[in-house]
């Protein structure tokens, strides 16, 4: 599993970059309409889902737990599709769609981190991503009447934090990949003593 993650570190980095861009756009245009927020969120959820499915496809047949990333990707694409099919959702409805997506994503991140705890250092970042997602989802679900501006800022802050931690994890995976497989392509071997 670690080999697949390190080989595809770039997909995780792109997911993080997409989250950061989405978060920055939410802060730059806080007065955007709910329709625009719906479209931005739908695009982000779909991009995140596609990259999760790409990572799952790389694991299929080689790893027994590849289905967790596949499930995360399917949920992301389904949520994105749902928001595009019904862009006139009310703020109240969108709040619960976002809350559910964040909670499901958080649970799947934590499950993945637990599975990786013996294979990777820094799995706590994936746990932190999962906890951040779950807490965000619960807060949004508990306080649905935050108002459009507060919702945009909360979503933007979540997306930026999630993206930053995803980028940190991606570059940790890249570093592990470079240590294991130097430029020559062969696994890194310690000299015998």
């Amino acid at each position: 599993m670690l080999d697949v993650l390190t080989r595809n570190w770039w997909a995780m980095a792109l997911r993080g970059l997409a989250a950061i861009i989405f978060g920055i756009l939410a802060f730059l245009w806080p007065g955007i309409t709910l329709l625009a927020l719906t479209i931005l969120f739908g695009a982000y959820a779909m991009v995140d889902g596609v990259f999760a499915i790409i990572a799952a496809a790389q694991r299929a047949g080689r790893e027994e737990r590849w289905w967790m990333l596949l499930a995360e990707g399917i949920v992301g694409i389904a949520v994105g599709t749902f928001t595009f099919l019904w862009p006139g959702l009310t703020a109240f409805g969108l709040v619960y769609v976002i809350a559910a997506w964040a909670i499901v994503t958080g649970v799947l991140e934590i499950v993945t981190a637990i599975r990786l705890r013996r294979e990777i250092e820094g799995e706590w970042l994936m746990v932190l991503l999962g906890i951040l997602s779950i807490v965000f989802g619960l807060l949004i679900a508990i306080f649905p009447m935050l108002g459009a501006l507060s919702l945009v800022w909360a979503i933007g802050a979540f997306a930026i934090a999630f993206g930053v931690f995803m980028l940190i994890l991606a570059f940790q995976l890249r570093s592990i990949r470079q240590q294991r497989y130097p430029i020559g392509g062969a696994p890194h071997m310690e000299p015998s003593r």
Side-chain angles (χ1 to χ4, degrees), residues 6 127 177:
T6 59
V127 171
R177 178 80 177 165

Side-chain angles (χ1 to χ4, degrees), residues 83-160:
T83 59
F84 285 132
L85 290 177
W86 292 282
L89 288 173
T90 64
F92 192 72
L94 180 60
V95 165
Y96 285 109
V97 169
I98 292 169
W101 173 78
I103 291 167
V104 168
T105 297
V107 168
L108 292 172
E109 289 289 340
I110 291 171
V111 168
T112 302
I114 290 168
R115 300 286 184 202
L116 287 175
R117 72 182 179 275
R118 292 189 179 136
E119 296 183 47
I120 184 175
E121 288 184 30
E123 77 280 358
W124 64 270
L125 283 170
M126 290 185 85
V127 171
L128 186 59
L129 286 171
I131 292 169
L132 182 64
S133 290
I134 292 169
V135 168
F136 172 74
L138 290 173
L139 284 173
I140 293 297
I142 292 168
F143 303 107
M145 303 309 278
L146 290 173
L149 183 59
S150 297
L151 178 60
V152 170
W153 287 345
I155 291 168
F158 163 74
I160 290 170

Side-chain angles (χ1 to χ4, degrees), residues 4-5 11 13 15-16 23 25 30 39 42-43 46 53 67 69 74 86 105 116 136 142 148 153 159 177 187 189:
V4 173
L5 283 173
R15 287 175 68 192
L25 289 175
I39 291 168
M46 288 191 102
I53 288 174
W67 61 269
L69 261 180
I74 290 170
W86 292 282
T105 297
L116 287 175
F136 172 74
I142 292 168
W153 287 345
R177 178 80 177 165
M189 304 294 247

Side-chain angles (χ1 to χ4, degrees), residues 1-12 54-55 57-60 62-63 170 173-178 180-181:
M1 180 183 280
L2 181 60
D3 186 52
V4 173
L5 283 173
T6 59
R7 185 175 42 243
N8 296 302
W9 67 269
W10 58 270
M12 191 168 293
I54 288 170
Q58 294 290 323
R59 290 185 192 169
R62 289 182 280 194
E63 296 292 331
L173 291 170
R174 178 178 173 233
S175 177
I176 291 169
R177 178 80 177 165
Q178 289 173 340
R180 285 185 165 200
Y181 304 102

Side-chain angles (χ1 to χ4, degrees), residues 33-92:
T33 64
L34 186 55
L35 178 61
L37 176 61
T38 303
I39 291 168
L40 281 173
F41 174 74
Y44 167 70
M46 288 191 102
V47 167
D48 186 64
V50 166
F51 282 113
I53 288 174
I54 288 170
Q58 294 290 323
R59 290 185 192 169
R62 289 182 280 194
E63 296 292 331
E64 142 182 351
R65 306 283 192 262
W66 63 272
W67 61 269
M68 288 184 282
L69 261 180
L70 179 64
E72 184 178 341
I74 290 170
V75 167
I77 290 174
V79 167
T81 302
F82 181 82
T83 59
F84 285 132
L85 290 177
W86 292 282
L89 288 173
T90 64
F92 192 72

